[in-house]
Amino acid sequence: VGQLTLDEVHQVADAIGGELRQGDVVVASSDFTHQGPRYGYVPFRDNVPAQLRELDMLAFEAIAARDIAAFWRFKHRTEDTICGFYPVSVLMALAGPRATAHLVRYDTSATVTGDYDNTVSYLAVALTAPPDWKPGTSRASFLRPAEQRRAVRMAREAIRQRFDGRAYDPKAAGVKLDGRLSERHGVFVTLKRKDDGSLRGCIGRVQDPAPLHRGIVDNALNAAFRDSRFAPLSRDELDRVSIEVTVLTPPREVGSVDQITIGHDGVILRKDGRSALFLPQVAVEQGWGLRRTLSALARKAGLGLDGWRGAKIQTFRGHVYHEANL
């Protein structure tokens, strides 16, 4: 699989689960730690065999606990080079929180080559679902499926009608505005070019006093016409961009950056009167670990690469709904 947010991991698991029956076996294939100068990852230089095993067993502990968020925090804190990190995560989501995990075998390439300067680890792990396992939803979405479709349609229709000189009113258009769409939540609307996936506009609010449906319409227009990084969207571009709606939970302060789960948490940084925000999907799309994410966020705030140190850090959940997936 490609790079995924934690929500997308559960979506993939749900899709696979719908194809499975009792007795089926799913295999996630992955090397584990690639250690040494050849791989650009040298976490330790002394007593490599023992320290390498300790590192690998920390990852296994998270897998054995069926704690995907802990597995992700380990990966992004240590920057461990587990190449099948996302497939392993999907398998954990698929097996579910009641599965049992057993380490069948642990080995490294160095036991064959004798070379611990550059070595690759291997773990054979069996995840066994309980006898009453049934395929289903591994985690409920924040918006119901019908609400998800309405959210992205409202965003696109608001932009489309602006080109015709009209102000879009979803209620007048007969859109059902119940459930979470009537609640107050922060929301960002993102436009991306369909041909290369590059950003074409993104604006939102972390906390919005207006109902969610109003925030979606307002920020769709802001992303299309008021993002200062881009020229206003032209009419002929509308069909060449995809729309993504990200609904936010209230931010909470974290005591340590190690509490951040890349791909799960959005991050807000504040220091010396400056601030910057990344949605949860940003680090995943860029392939960043925790430290690179924090450095990029600090640079975005105009604080320099180390400006995240001593800053106030808040995290939030971002539930992402992309029209291509709906």
Side-chain angles (χ1 to χ4, degrees):
V1 301
Q3 293 174 315
L4 304 172
T5 65
L6 196 55
D7 281 342
E8 289 170 335
V9 163
H10 286 275
Q11 291 173 30
V12 174
D14 292 343
I16 295 173
E19 302 297 323
L20 298 182
R21 299 296 179 266
Q22 285 288 347
D24 286 350
V25 174
V26 180
V27 177
S29 180
S30 173
D31 296 346
F32 236 66
T33 304
H34 299 66
Q35 186 274 148
R38 181 185 301 165
Y39 307 109
Y41 183 62
V42 186
F44 25 71
R45 298 183 182 277
D46 301 319
N47 197 16
V48 173
Q51 292 202 73
L52 180 61
R53 183 183 180 91
E54 181 179 356
L55 181 71
D56 291 330
M57 290 305 108
L58 285 174
F60 172 68
E61 285 177 12
I63 296 172
R66 289 89 62 205
D67 190 337
I68 304 175
F71 184 46
W72 283 39
R73 286 193 294 272
F74 162 83
K75 169 71 167 64
H76 293 296
R77 183 183 74 251
T78 64
E79 299 187 346
D80 198 350
T81 47
I82 303 170
C83 59
F85 165 69
Y86 291 111
V88 171
S89 300
V90 169
L91 187 63
M92 292 169 67
L94 183 63
R98 295 169 54 221
T100 57
H102 174 63
L103 180 60
V104 179
R105 184 174 173 184
Y106 172 76
D107 214 335
T108 71
S109 61
T111 61
V112 176
T113 66
D115 178 16
Y116 273 102
D117 291 333
N118 294 282
T119 184
V120 180
S121 302
Y122 304 94
L123 279 75
V125 180
L127 288 168
T128 306
D132 59 351
W133 176 91
K134 294 180 180 179
T137 302
S138 60
R139 187 170 64 182
S141 174
F142 191 71
L143 296 185
R144 300 192 305 268
E147 293 172 338
Q148 298 171 28
R149 291 190 289 272
R150 288 179 212 143
V152 295
R153 287 171 182 163
M154 283 191 293
R156 182 169 288 278
E157 193 60 24
I159 298 170
R160 189 184 303 280
Q161 291 199 19
R162 176 59 59 89
F163 285 123
D164 296 331
R166 294 179 290 160
Y168 176 60
D169 183 348
K171 185 176 181 179
V175 178
K176 194 175 182 181
L177 301 176
D178 59 350
R180 296 215 187 260
L181 293 176
S182 65
E183 299 174 357
R184 288 171 172 78
H185 298 283
V187 62
F188 276 69
V189 176
T190 304
L191 309 182
K192 294 180 181 177
R193 294 181 177 88
K194 290 181 179 179
D195 56 355
D196 60 7
S198 61
L199 185 67
R200 184 57 182 85
C202 179
I203 289 183
R205 286 184 174 183
V206 177
Q207 293 176 302
D208 199 320
L212 179 57
H213 65 82
R214 185 72 256 166
I216 291 170
V217 169
D218 290 346
N219 287 299
L221 297 173
N222 289 336
F225 304 113
R226 301 187 186 96
D227 190 330
S228 60
R229 297 169 294 179
F230 304 95
L233 194 74
S234 62
R235 183 187 291 267
D236 65 352
E237 283 185 282
L238 181 56
D239 290 336
R240 301 202 302 269
V241 297
S242 60
I243 296 178
E244 192 174 86
V245 174
T246 303
V247 183
L248 312 184
T249 60
R252 61 178 181 84
E253 191 165 351
V254 296
S256 166
V257 296
D258 289 334
Q259 294 176 278
I260 298 170
T261 304
I262 296 297
H264 177 266
D265 295 329
V267 186
I268 304 169
L269 178 148
R270 291 189 173 91
K271 184 180 179 182
D272 300 336
R274 297 174 180 267
S275 64
L277 175 149
F278 279 154
L279 296 175
Q281 58 268 41
V282 171
V284 173
E285 291 168 353
Q286 299 299 323
W288 293 336
L290 177 59
R291 294 303 187 271
R292 288 190 65 186
T293 299
L294 293 170
S295 292
L297 191 59
R299 183 172 59 185
K300 181 180 179 182
L303 295 168
L305 294 179
D306 288 329
W308 58 271
R309 300 182 188 278
K312 179 180 178 180
I313 303 290
Q314 292 178 303
T315 61
F316 58 89
R317 287 290 312 282
H319 303 271
V320 185
Y321 306 106
H322 194 296
E323 63 182 348
N325 298 332
L326 300 175

